[in-house]
Amino acid sequence: MPMKIEGGPFKARVEEALHNDFMRGAVRRAQDGLRGRKLAATNEDRDFEDWEAWRQAGEAVRRHTIENLDYYLEQLSENVEARGGHVFFAATAEEATAYIRQVVKAKDAKRIIKSKSMVTEEISLNAALEADGCEVVETDLGEYILQLDDHEPPSHLVAPAVHKNQAQIRELYAKKIGYTATEKPEEITAHTRKVLRETFLHADIGITGCNFAVAETGTVTLLTNEGNADLATSLPKTQISVMGMERLVPTWEDLDILVSLLSRSAVGQRLATYVTALTPGREEGSVDGPEDFHLVIVDAGRSKALGTEFQDVLHCIRCGACINVCPVYRHIGGHAYGSIYQGPIGAVLSPILGDSDAFKTLPFASSLCGACTEACPVGIPLHEQLVAHRRAIVEDHGEAPWFEKLAMRGFGAAAAKPERFARAGGTVRLAKPLARAWTAEREFPAPARTTFRKWFEERKGAGR
Amino acid sequence: MERERFLARVAAGLGRERRREAERPDWRGQPHQRLYADESAEALGDLFEEQCRFMKTEVKRTSRAELAEVLESTAAEYGGGPVVVSDDERYEAYGLGGFLQREGVSVWDDAKGRGMIELAERAKVGVSFADLALAESGTVVVFSRPGNGRTLHMLPENYIAIIPKGRLVPRFSQASRYIQENFIRKNGVPSCVKFISGPSNSADIELKSVVGVHGPVRAAFLLVEDA
Amino acid sequence: MKVSLFITCLCDVIYPDVGKDVVEVLERLGCEVDFPAGQTCCGQPAYNSGYRREAVKAAKPMIEAFADSDYVVAPSGSCAAVIHEYEKWFPGEPVWQAKARQLAAKTYEFTQFLVDVLKVTDIGARYKARAAYHTSCHMTRLLGVKEAPLKLLEHVEGLELVPISNAYDCCGFGGTFAVKMAAISTAMADEKISHVEAAKADVLIGSDGGCLMHLKGRIDRLGQPVEVKHIAQVLNGR
């Protein structure tokens, strides 16, 4: 199953996470840092004036694009092809990897460099290419660290190795690539630069994701702070960019709005350090840039959301802002979710994209505090979509514990008849079957001697 | 999957026929069009400088007359040489002809093939003109063309951009309008449009910010006030 | 001014004293308080757990019960917020949607009603304590009431309000989440409590019975000395 990461069931992962004090401390610090940076660049940036207006503009672009998705995908593919690029439409993960493997084979390519891409994680591309005997190297610093650690899965959308500390990274480098310097991030980074520079210079193919494709020009836009996407698309002779079918905008003007929102929301910058817009057909006589350009447009479950109450989740621009404010993620970290997508967006997206039953627990892993919805730069009502998942799981699939169903049926019957509801002692008494899970960790208050209801009636009877 | 079948599936998911046209909503009055749009050139310069500092880029405000000296000294600070510069006639016009003649300075030449990239890889400094600059984000915009290689801005250890102040615009919005007017309505967009806002950096290790991950370790933007 | 009280399940059975304080404060400010007996539960526990059919069964009598009210006031931001969401619970039922809209338009959380409708911020309360205020998520994010409780507390004589860090983080109650995901829920409470402790507050004040029951239950289990009060209890302090 692509998307899924190794490990036990959700409850066991949570148990493990809650006992990992180091990870929890790291995640808390990361959240506080990233949340603070985002706020400084959005609500608190006085020049930026009206954050709400920006969000609405972002949502409008995304909504318009998805509502006309077939039109813009056609326009995008025609423009890519008109410039000499190749476009492949992949309905499934298997189709996508099969096409890419075939391109790699046709080029007789062995050395592949990648810049960070979630959709290639979704389709398990690295494993497929490695099985074909290719060397696949991730070049985003965080991703590179994880790859060295026997392909550990990412734990955060934009800060994939956030759960590791510098001492652990130093040790990993020493073990895997003979690193001898200190654990200072500067020295680890300098070493990474040296190692990866060589890899860049000799790679046959560069594989990237796609932050936003621009339909009107057939352009793939990539945002990084490290510049790895730039090198990955300048040095190798072949570029393969893989995009989720929803990751496009109609025009460069729309690109402006979304690049502004993504940079500010993901890392608290007005613009990512490197925003690179790539269109096939390098200029005649140029020495760098790819000679061959492939764009792979991937569905892999996305169309299941179209026309449903989950359609808005396709508006997501993968900024991770919801993850950085999620109090559940804060305490259990990314790996507990068991999916390559974590936090609120992961809990909404994973059950749609992945068919695994394991993902059906995720929508319940939320207190529905709404922090995610408030943080989303394109206005996806994430907490409402979590409730919608719960409803589908309970009502459409009938998957709920029997005692809960019984309790809820009792609640419905009582709540429909006010006299019965009052006699039964209201929701609090109806919830009694759940009391044990409550008192395992908390005291439960003793109900008062008289209910408010009774007090009010008596008071009124006494002439007030 | 064949394109038309893929798109038909999308249309069916959306509960309608395949769409052959779409009317873009009117974005007039949206915030991206207003932000910094009415700032004076002076204010834009200040905004640019402030934002560059935030992004760890050195900014040097200079004039045509002093540019050669500033470029010399900045290149010296960045290790002297080798230096690779873009192939651009503006160097002469900005009095930098002498700089190009200096020992260790090479002008980008695509005809050198792979050798050019190797030269850039060994270079201490890469120099190019900005085609546009964005005040809001402290950004230099460069359009790919022969003589202005993609890797010229990324491979050398340090990067210096020369920005004629007339090229400084408020933000990304003006750049996309420029691209609209000068490329899309004419011969199409350059194969690579780069927006560069400082040295290569990462916070992937314990969220501590470090510079020089893959691209330039240091970056200097020379803002030529009277150009 | 006539005000109908929506007491909410928790206040009715667990915290009737909070209800009494609400009534006394409203009456002192000149309101005539009534209690429509037809009210049940807002339906949130069922709705948020995925049982929409059961939730709607609760929403209908609620809508009927308050049909003739001028104002509906609830001592819970979360329950009041749910009433504001009712319209979405009736897709394809325009009659019920219209009724839901009418109810939402006149429904207020207690402190929101005091500040926005009655236009009072100083109600002459006295309460001596060093206190932290817990901002409930549904009240701030779904109902959009952020300032009202703080404005009221600022004017309470003898009350020293201290800020707590990460105030915006959820306390971990979340209705059935508190029992279904008890371990995560508790971890969230523990962090919240640690921030209250760090602020050296001796009282934690909130506007939502659910959050308060959860936090108080955990504080007592941990043997902490912090008291927990509903804001109505503080505002009725004299």
Side-chain angles (χ1 to χ4, degrees), chain A residues 414-453:
Chain A
K417 297 250 161 45
E419 316 77 57
R420 254 172 80 184
F421 187 77
R423 252 199 332 273
T427 306
V428 176
R429 289 215 170 81
L430 287 163
K432 241 188 170 163
L434 305 170
R436 195 174 303 157
W438 179 279
T439 51
E441 308 279 2
R442 286 154 291 214
E443 303 300 331
F444 192 78
R449 221 162 288 157
T450 40
T451 62
F452 174 85
R453 212 175 270 266

Coordinates of all heavy atoms in Angstrom, one line a residue, chain A residues 414-453:
Chain A
A414 N -34.0 9.8 23.2 CA -34.3 10.7 24.4 C -34.3 12.1 24.0 O -35.2 12.9 24.4 CB -33.2 10.5 25.5
A415 N -33.4 12.5 23.1 CA -33.3 14.0 22.8 C -34.5 14.4 22.0 O -34.8 15.6 22.0 CB -32.0 14.2 22.1
A416 N -35.1 13.5 21.3 CA -36.3 13.8 20.5 C -37.5 14.1 21.4 O -38.4 14.8 20.9 CB -36.6 12.7 19.6
K417 N -37.5 13.7 22.6 CA -38.7 13.8 23.5 C -38.2 14.5 24.8 O -37.6 13.9 25.7 CB -39.2 12.5 23.9 CG -39.8 11.7 22.7 CD -41.3 11.7 22.8 CE -42.0 11.3 21.4 NZ -41.3 10.3 20.7
P418 N -38.4 15.8 24.9 CA -37.9 16.6 26.0 C -38.2 16.0 27.4 O -37.3 16.0 28.2 CB -38.5 18.0 25.8 CG -38.8 18.1 24.4 CD -39.1 16.7 23.9
E419 N -39.4 15.5 27.6 CA -39.7 15.0 29.0 C -38.8 13.8 29.3 O -38.3 13.6 30.4 CB -41.2 14.6 29.1 CG -42.2 15.5 28.5 CD -42.3 15.4 26.9 OE1 -42.5 14.3 26.4 OE2 -42.0 16.4 26.3
R420 N -38.7 12.9 28.2 CA -37.9 11.7 28.4 C -36.4 12.1 28.7 O -35.8 11.5 29.5 CB -38.0 10.8 27.2 CG -38.9 9.6 27.4 CD -39.1 8.9 26.1 NE -38.0 8.0 25.7 CZ -38.0 7.4 24.6 NH1 -39.0 7.5 23.7 NH2 -36.9 6.6 24.3
F421 N -36.0 13.1 28.0 CA -34.6 13.5 28.1 C -34.3 14.0 29.5 O -33.3 13.6 30.1 CB -34.3 14.7 27.1 CG -32.9 15.1 27.0 CD1 -32.0 14.3 26.3 CD2 -32.4 16.2 27.6 CE1 -30.7 14.7 26.2 CE2 -31.1 16.6 27.5 CZ -30.2 15.8 26.8
A422 N -35.2 14.8 30.0 CA -35.1 15.4 31.4 C -35.1 14.2 32.4 O -34.3 14.2 33.3 CB -36.1 16.4 31.7
R423 N -36.0 13.3 32.2 CA -36.1 12.2 33.1 C -34.9 11.3 33.1 O -34.4 10.9 34.1 CB -37.4 11.3 32.8 CG -38.5 11.5 33.7 CD -39.5 10.4 33.7 NE -39.7 9.7 32.5 CZ -40.5 10.1 31.5 NH1 -41.2 11.2 31.6 NH2 -40.6 9.3 30.4
A424 N -34.3 11.1 31.9 CA -33.2 10.3 31.8 C -31.9 10.9 32.4 O -30.9 10.3 32.6 CB -32.9 9.9 30.3
G425 N -32.0 12.2 32.7 CA -30.9 12.9 33.3 C -30.0 13.5 32.2 O -28.8 13.8 32.5
G426 N -30.5 13.6 31.0 CA -29.7 14.3 30.0 C -28.5 13.6 29.5 O -28.3 12.4 29.8
T427 N -27.8 14.2 28.6 CA -26.6 13.6 28.0 C -25.6 13.0 28.9 O -25.1 12.0 28.7 CB -26.0 14.7 27.1 OG1 -26.9 15.2 26.2 CG2 -24.9 14.1 26.2
V428 N -25.5 13.7 30.1 CA -24.4 13.3 31.0 C -24.7 11.9 31.5 O -23.8 11.1 31.5 CB -24.4 14.3 32.2 CG1 -23.4 13.8 33.2 CG2 -24.0 15.7 31.7
R429 N -25.9 11.6 31.8 CA -26.2 10.3 32.3 C -26.2 9.2 31.2 O -25.8 8.1 31.4 CB -27.5 10.2 33.1 CG -27.4 11.0 34.5 CD -28.2 10.3 35.6 NE -27.8 10.9 36.9 CZ -28.3 12.0 37.3 NH1 -29.1 12.8 36.6 NH2 -28.0 12.5 38.5
L430 N -26.7 9.7 30.0 CA -26.7 8.8 28.9 C -25.3 8.4 28.5 O -25.1 7.4 27.9 CB -27.4 9.5 27.7 CG -28.9 9.6 27.8 CD1 -29.5 10.6 26.8 CD2 -29.6 8.2 27.6
A431 N -24.3 9.2 28.8 CA -23.0 9.0 28.4 C -22.3 8.0 29.4 O -21.1 7.8 29.3 CB -22.2 10.3 28.3
K432 N -23.0 7.5 30.4 CA -22.4 6.7 31.4 C -21.5 5.6 30.9 O -20.5 5.3 31.5 CB -23.5 6.1 32.3 CG -23.2 6.6 33.8 CD -24.2 6.0 34.7 CE -23.7 6.3 36.2 NZ -24.7 6.1 37.1
P433 N -21.9 4.9 29.8 CA -21.1 3.8 29.3 C -19.6 4.2 29.0 O -18.7 3.4 29.0 CB -21.8 3.3 28.1 CG -23.2 3.8 28.2 CD -23.1 5.0 29.0
L434 N -19.5 5.5 28.8 CA -18.1 6.0 28.4 C -17.3 6.4 29.6 O -16.2 6.8 29.5 CB -18.3 7.2 27.5 CG -19.1 7.0 26.2 CD1 -19.4 8.3 25.5 CD2 -18.4 6.0 25.3
A435 N -17.9 6.3 30.8 CA -17.3 6.8 32.0 C -16.0 6.2 32.3 O -15.1 6.9 32.8 CB -18.2 6.7 33.2
R436 N -15.8 4.9 32.0 CA -14.6 4.3 32.4 C -13.4 4.9 31.8 O -12.3 5.1 32.4 CB -14.7 2.8 32.2 CG -13.6 2.0 32.9 CD -13.7 0.6 32.8 NE -15.0 0.1 33.3 CZ -15.5 -1.1 32.9 NH1 -14.9 -1.8 32.0 NH2 -16.7 -1.5 33.3
A437 N -13.5 5.1 30.5 CA -12.4 5.7 29.7 C -12.1 7.1 30.3 O -11.0 7.6 30.2 CB -12.7 5.8 28.2
W438 N -13.1 7.8 30.8 CA -12.9 9.1 31.4 C -12.1 9.0 32.7 O -11.1 9.6 32.9 CB -14.2 9.8 31.7 CG -14.1 11.2 32.3 CD1 -13.8 11.4 33.6 CD2 -14.1 12.4 31.6 NE1 -13.7 12.8 33.8 CE2 -13.8 13.4 32.6 CE3 -14.2 12.8 30.3 CZ2 -13.8 14.8 32.2 CZ3 -14.2 14.2 30.0 CH2 -14.0 15.1 30.9
T439 N -12.6 8.1 33.6 CA -12.0 8.1 34.9 C -10.7 7.4 35.0 O -10.0 7.4 36.0 CB -13.0 7.4 35.9 OG1 -13.4 6.1 35.4 CG2 -14.2 8.3 36.2
A440 N -10.2 6.7 33.9 CA -8.9 6.1 33.9 C -7.8 7.2 34.1 O -6.8 7.0 34.6 CB -8.7 5.4 32.6
E441 N -8.1 8.4 33.5 CA -7.1 9.5 33.6 C -7.6 10.7 34.4 O -6.8 11.6 34.6 CB -6.8 10.0 32.1 CG -6.5 8.9 31.2 CD -5.0 8.4 31.3 OE1 -4.3 9.0 32.1 OE2 -4.6 7.6 30.5
R442 N -8.9 10.8 34.6 CA -9.4 12.0 35.2 C -10.4 11.7 36.3 O -11.1 10.7 36.2 CB -10.1 12.9 34.2 CG -9.2 13.6 33.2 CD -9.9 13.8 31.9 NE -10.2 12.5 31.2 CZ -10.1 12.4 29.9 NH1 -10.0 13.4 29.1 NH2 -10.3 11.2 29.4
E443 N -10.6 12.6 37.2 CA -11.8 12.5 38.1 C -13.0 12.9 37.4 O -13.0 13.7 36.5 CB -11.6 13.4 39.4 CG -10.3 13.2 40.1 CD -10.1 11.8 40.7 OE1 -11.2 11.2 41.0 OE2 -9.0 11.3 40.8
F444 N -14.1 12.3 37.8 CA -15.4 12.7 37.3 C -16.2 13.4 38.4 O -16.3 12.8 39.5 CB -16.2 11.4 36.7 CG -17.4 11.8 35.9 CD1 -17.2 12.2 34.6 CD2 -18.7 11.8 36.4 CE1 -18.3 12.6 33.8 CE2 -19.7 12.1 35.6 CZ -19.6 12.5 34.3
P445 N -16.7 14.5 38.1 CA -17.4 15.3 39.2 C -18.7 14.5 39.5 O -19.4 14.0 38.7 CB -17.7 16.6 38.5 CG -17.8 16.4 37.1 CD -16.8 15.3 36.8
A446 N -19.0 14.6 40.8 CA -20.3 14.0 41.3 C -21.4 14.9 40.8 O -21.4 16.2 40.9 CB -20.3 14.0 42.8
P447 N -22.5 14.4 40.1 CA -23.6 15.2 39.7 C -24.2 15.9 40.9 O -24.2 15.4 42.0 CB -24.6 14.2 39.1 CG -23.7 13.0 38.7 CD -22.6 13.0 39.7
A448 N -24.7 17.1 40.7 CA -25.2 17.9 41.8 C -26.5 17.3 42.3 O -27.1 16.4 41.7 CB -25.5 19.3 41.3
R449 N -26.9 17.7 43.5 CA -28.0 17.0 44.2 C -29.3 17.3 43.4 O -30.1 16.4 43.1 CB -28.1 17.5 45.6 CG -28.5 16.3 46.5 CD -28.2 16.6 48.0 NE -26.7 16.6 48.3 CZ -26.2 17.2 49.3 NH1 -27.0 17.9 50.1 NH2 -24.9 17.2 49.5
T450 N -29.5 18.5 43.0 CA -30.7 18.8 42.1 C -30.2 19.4 40.8 O -29.2 20.1 40.8 CB -31.6 19.9 42.7 OG1 -30.8 20.9 43.3 CG2 -32.6 19.3 43.7
T451 N -30.9 19.1 39.8 CA -30.5 19.7 38.5 C -30.9 21.1 38.5 O -31.8 21.6 39.3 CB -31.3 19.0 37.3 OG1 -32.7 19.1 37.5 CG2 -30.9 17.5 37.3
F452 N -30.4 21.9 37.5 CA -30.7 23.3 37.3 C -32.2 23.4 37.0 O -32.9 24.2 37.5 CB -29.9 23.9 36.2 CG -30.4 25.3 35.9 CD1 -29.9 26.4 36.6 CD2 -31.3 25.6 34.9 CE1 -30.3 27.7 36.4 CE2 -31.7 26.8 34.7 CZ -31.2 27.9 35.4
R453 N -32.6 22.5 36.2 CA -34.0 22.4 35.7 C -35.0 22.5 36.9 O -35.9 23.3 37.0 CB -34.2 21.1 35.0 CG -35.2 21.1 33.9 CD -35.1 19.7 33.2 NE -34.1 19.7 32.1 CZ -34.4 19.9 30.8 NH1 -35.7 20.1 30.5 NH2 -33.5 19.9 29.9

